[in-house]
Amino acid sequence: MRSAWQNLFQLDSKKIYILSLLIGLGSGLMAVLFYYLLSLATHWTYGYLLHIPFLHATGETIFFPQLPIGTPRRWLFFILPTAGGLLVGLFTFFLAPEVKGTGTDAFLEAFHNRRGLVRKRISIVKGLATLITLGSGGSAGKEGPMAQMGASLGGLMGWWFKAGERARRTFLLAGVAGGLGAIFKAPLGAALTAVEIPYKEDLESDALIPCLLSSIMAYTIFGSFLGFGHIFQMKQEMFREPTLLIFYALLGLVCAAVGYIYVSFFHGIKKYFFDRLKLPLYLIPTLGGLLTGCVGYFFPEVTGGSLGMIQQAINGKVTLALWPGLGIFGLFALMQILATSFTVSSGGSGGVFGPSLFIGGMLGGAVGTIAHHFFPALAPNVAPFVVVGMGAFFAGVANAPFASLIMVSEMTGGYELLPPLMLVAAMAFIFTRRWSIYKNQVINKFYSKAHDWEINPNLLKKIPIETAFGNRFHREAIIPRHTPMTQIRALATSLHTPYLMVENESGELRGVISLHDLGMTAELDEASSLIVAEDILTQNVGRVTVNDNLYTALEKLASMEYDKVAVIDPKEQKNKLLGYLREKDILRFYQKHYQGTQKPPARS
């Protein structure tokens, strides 16, 4: 039966469009189910257990009526997120490690480096892990899981029809667009997000039409079940006062500065704290949940993925007095940074788009409070600044100015605020383009394996490695064969690589160590003081000589799972190790010195 379908769909552009609609249909249905289950989980947690109102945006569908609020049980914040972190840690450790974290980074890894392949179980495991994280009081967004779940559906479509790499990657992005378009009721913004988010300075334009088709189908399905309209409701706010551009420009600078702090803390606490803990991997999200619970005890508004506090700010429920307003908005932004970083950086499951909207909205509220203080007639309320801050902040931290403009406009209906949105998003993007909340986002298409076909192979075949690099090869990840296991792990962590090459006392290549293959078993932990590099290496390592050409080196890298190829001295009879090359070294050399193109491979 499957063979008959495959023969029917020998993929071309039109059939890819049809399949993109089917991906959107599936993504929309998944979004409906996910939204209902998340509503059930948060209703039970906040209503039955915590006795704390769970704030909703006006446009969100409410399945369950608000329960009578008794005496709040805030002390449960020390238990619920901690227990949720433990469950998520067990889920990700034993079933699918790639579902921890934002979800967006996982699909970016699949897009750039895994030929568009996503494991079939991801949609289920990611959905459950996120329901546990948010339902137990964690602080994260809904877009990460929906992006990864949609990507998983797109990957399943590619596997079913045995699609080629380009088609698989297109289906992956179409699934992302469908998931986002449904859950945020923003079909155009979601399609733009899917094609913009893979790169810091580029767009995956080939996938735009499939993403649009998938997104509008998913949005239609989701709206048919849960209602259409904007997530946030606000009064029509026209941009009429050029004087306020001064304050909007100030907001752009504030978003850039706080964006740098957010990204640095988000990645820094993972690198310098959570990754260095001497704990089993499944216990680290437990600690993250406990830290999140400490924040939630005092500020429950920043937990559970709630967008309701943003709606409160838009509705003017926060004081307009200068110093109290600045304090409230600033404190909520800070607490959201802490809670989201504790939850997601420790390995909890969830996205960062929702929290980024929250932080940006609070920063907008703070600057809007200043504008109101000095020009109350021109800025009678902070709602326009809240909306503009939402778009600007995400534009900066995610390097997605176009997507953020349209996404926020669709979510709020604030299309009349596009002029200040464009200004502030551009400013935030300009000042923050060197960093990103997404680790797997690359600069442009040239740095993605998805576009390796754009390199001229005939040119690379004419360039010997020695001509390109001389004797300048990397040696940072090369260790002696008697290096103990504890030092191996420390070096791998500091270099952010799971692969280390091993040499003997004479400088000969012995093999390579893959910490991915070794895992983190209890037996390995107990024997780590006795294990040295020689005991755990494998000799299956790609190698080239300085006389080989760059294309040969790229072929070696593509044919193995390691991210390095050993460079051997051909003048020595033995395997004298000069160093190693990475794919990015070859690509940077090519980009700097040459410009070549080639026809893309067929999609199917």
Side-chain angles (χ1 to χ4, degrees):
M1 176 65 70
R2 197 177 81 182
S3 178
W5 276 95
Q6 290 164 355
N7 291 333
L8 176 63
F9 282 94
Q10 293 297 320
L11 298 182
D12 56 27
S13 295
K14 292 181 180 179
K15 291 168 184 174
I16 284 176
Y17 297 156
I18 295 173
L19 294 178
S20 298
L21 289 171
L22 294 178
I23 291 171
L25 173 64
S27 297
L29 292 174
M30 281 199 308
V32 171
L33 178 61
F34 177 79
Y35 185 89
Y36 175 81
L37 293 176
L38 181 59
S39 298
L40 178 62
T42 53
H43 175 73
W44 187 78
T45 301
Y46 288 81
Y48 282 102
L49 296 180
L50 291 168
H51 290 177
I52 293 175
F54 187 80
L55 299 177
H56 289 274
T58 306
E60 289 185 297
T61 300
I62 300 177
F63 285 104
F64 308 99
Q66 180 69 57
L67 295 172
I69 299 300
T71 303
R73 300 170 179 167
R74 290 184 179 233
W75 56 269
L76 282 175
F77 269 112
F78 298 115
I79 299 175
L80 293 175
T82 306
L86 176 60
L87 288 175
V88 170
L90 293 172
F91 255 65
T92 57
F93 184 78
F94 290 107
L95 294 178
E98 60 265 46
V99 306
K100 66 182 180 181
T102 66
T104 303
D105 263 325
F107 104 73
L108 290 177
E109 169 69 16
F111 178 84
H112 291 304
N113 302 316
R114 296 179 60 85
R115 298 176 297 162
L117 296 172
V118 180
R119 289 201 287 174
K120 305 174 191 66
R121 70 175 69 173
I122 294 302
S123 59
I124 297 175
V125 178
K126 183 66 178 180
L128 290 176
T130 305
L131 288 172
I132 294 171
T133 298
L134 299 182
S136 63
S139 177
K142 296 176 283 192
E143 91 291 342
M146 282 312 307
Q148 198 171 5
M149 290 161 66
S152 177
L153 182 61
L156 182 63
M157 190 70 73
W159 168 81
W160 185 266
F161 291 100
K162 292 189 175 179
E165 287 187 25
R166 291 188 69 215
R168 282 202 304 269
R169 288 184 165 105
T170 297
F171 292 152
L172 194 77
L173 296 182
V176 171
L180 296 180
I183 203 71
F184 288 118
K185 299 183 180 180
L188 179 56
L192 290 175
T193 299
V195 299
E196 188 175 25
I197 211 70
Y199 308 105
K200 293 180 179 179
E201 301 174 357
D202 215 332
L203 295 171
E204 191 63 31
S205 53
D206 289 351
L208 180 57
I209 298 302
C211 287
L212 285 170
L213 294 173
S214 174
S215 181
I216 191 63
M217 175 61 78
Y219 167 74
T220 302
I221 296 298
F222 189 84
S224 298
F225 282 94
L226 302 179
F228 295 94
H230 307 296
I231 294 288
F232 300 101
Q233 287 190 3
M234 60 177 290
K235 297 179 180 179
Q236 292 293 326
E237 296 284 353
M238 300 292 292
F239 173 71
R240 298 187 180 92
E241 299 295 340
T243 305
L244 292 181
L245 285 178
I246 298 173
F247 294 96
Y248 284 119
L250 173 63
L251 177 56
L253 296 176
V254 171
C255 285
V258 178
Y260 174 77
I261 296 171
Y262 177 41
V263 172
S264 300
F265 185 77
F266 183 87
H267 294 309
I269 196 171
K270 180 180 188 302
K271 177 181 178 181
Y272 298 109
F273 180 64
F274 290 120
D275 286 351
R276 295 186 178 185
L277 292 174
K278 305 299 182 181
L279 293 173
L281 291 180
Y282 55 82
L283 288 182
I284 295 177
T286 310
L287 177 59
L290 177 60
L291 293 173
T292 303
C294 293
V295 176
Y297 179 85
F298 298 100
F299 296 90
E301 295 87 352
V302 304
T303 65
S306 172
L307 300 176
M309 186 60 194
I310 302 176
Q311 185 69 71
Q312 297 291 308
I314 292 175
N315 292 345
K317 300 296 184 181
V318 182
T319 177
L320 287 174
L322 180 61
W323 295 115
L326 288 176
I328 293 172
F329 283 121
L331 195 57
F332 270 116
L334 174 62
M335 291 302 107
Q336 186 70 72
I337 291 174
L338 293 177
T340 301
S341 300
F342 292 151
T343 298
V344 181
S345 295
S346 66
S349 180
V352 293
F353 176 69
S356 296
L357 294 183
F358 186 101
I359 298 167
M362 296 303 107
L363 297 178
V367 175
T369 300
I370 298 175
H372 174 77
H373 178 77
F374 288 102
F375 298 97
L378 299 182
N381 60 74
V382 301
F385 287 89
V386 172
V387 172
V388 172
M390 290 162 60
F393 192 78
F394 184 71
V397 299
N399 294 289
F402 300 114
S404 63
L405 292 176
I406 303 303
M407 181 77 84
V408 169
S409 295
E410 287 184 294
M411 293 178 68
T412 62
Y415 301 100
E416 292 83 1
L417 295 173
L418 273 174
L421 255 174
M422 293 164 63
L423 170 68
V424 178
M427 290 183 62
F429 173 72
I430 290 170
F431 288 109
T432 61
R433 63 194 305 174
R434 289 180 297 173
W435 58 83
S436 173
I437 198 71
Y438 300 121
K439 277 288 190 181
N440 291 327
Q441 193 178 56
V442 301
I443 297 175
N444 52 43
K445 292 178 181 177
F446 192 87
Y447 288 88
S448 173
K449 289 183 180 180
H451 291 271
D452 277 354
W453 51 266
E454 294 182 355
I455 297 174
N456 188 332
N458 294 323
L459 182 57
L460 291 180
K461 289 176 181 178
K462 297 177 182 179
I463 306 173
I465 293 173
E466 188 172 31
T467 300
F469 295 99
N471 61 353
R472 303 182 303 275
F473 304 112
H474 294 283
R475 291 192 58 86
E476 299 89 354
I478 298 176
I479 58 175
R481 65 189 183 96
H482 293 304
T483 304
M485 187 66 187
T486 51
Q487 292 184 21
I488 292 172
R489 283 182 174 169
L491 179 62
T493 300
S494 66
L495 295 178
H496 305 291
T497 177
Y499 308 115
L500 301 174
M501 289 188 178
V502 182
E503 64 180 4
N504 63 16
E505 292 80 356
S506 302
E508 300 167 13
L509 176 64
R510 292 287 299 143
V512 65
I513 294 173
S514 171
L515 295 182
H516 272 333
D517 294 340
L518 292 174
M520 297 288 287
T521 63
E523 295 81 2
L524 190 63
D525 286 338
E526 293 176 0
S528 60
S529 60
L530 305 175
I531 295 174
V532 296
E534 184 81 22
D535 300 325
I536 54 177
L537 62 80
T538 175
Q539 296 182 348
N540 183 26
V541 54
R543 62 193 74 193
V544 293
T545 72
V546 291
N547 295 331
D548 289 322
N549 59 59
L550 295 181
Y551 188 74
T552 300
L554 275 181
E555 282 187 317
K556 291 282 186 181
L557 285 163
S559 65
M560 61 187 189
E561 62 176 303
Y562 310 123
D563 61 354
K564 305 171 182 67
V565 60
V567 182
I568 304 299
D569 187 350
K571 300 175 184 178
E572 298 281 344
Q573 293 184 350
K574 298 180 180 179
N575 291 324
K576 181 70 172 180
L577 180 59
L578 299 177
Y580 61 85
L581 285 175
R582 303 164 301 177
E583 182 181 47
K584 65 170 114 178
D585 301 321
I586 300 172
L587 296 180
R588 282 173 180 166
F589 172 84
Y590 183 88
Q591 184 185 40
K592 182 177 180 180
H593 297 282
Y594 302 96
Q595 186 70 39
T597 58
Q598 180 184 346
K599 288 184 179 181
R603 286 185 178 272
S604 57

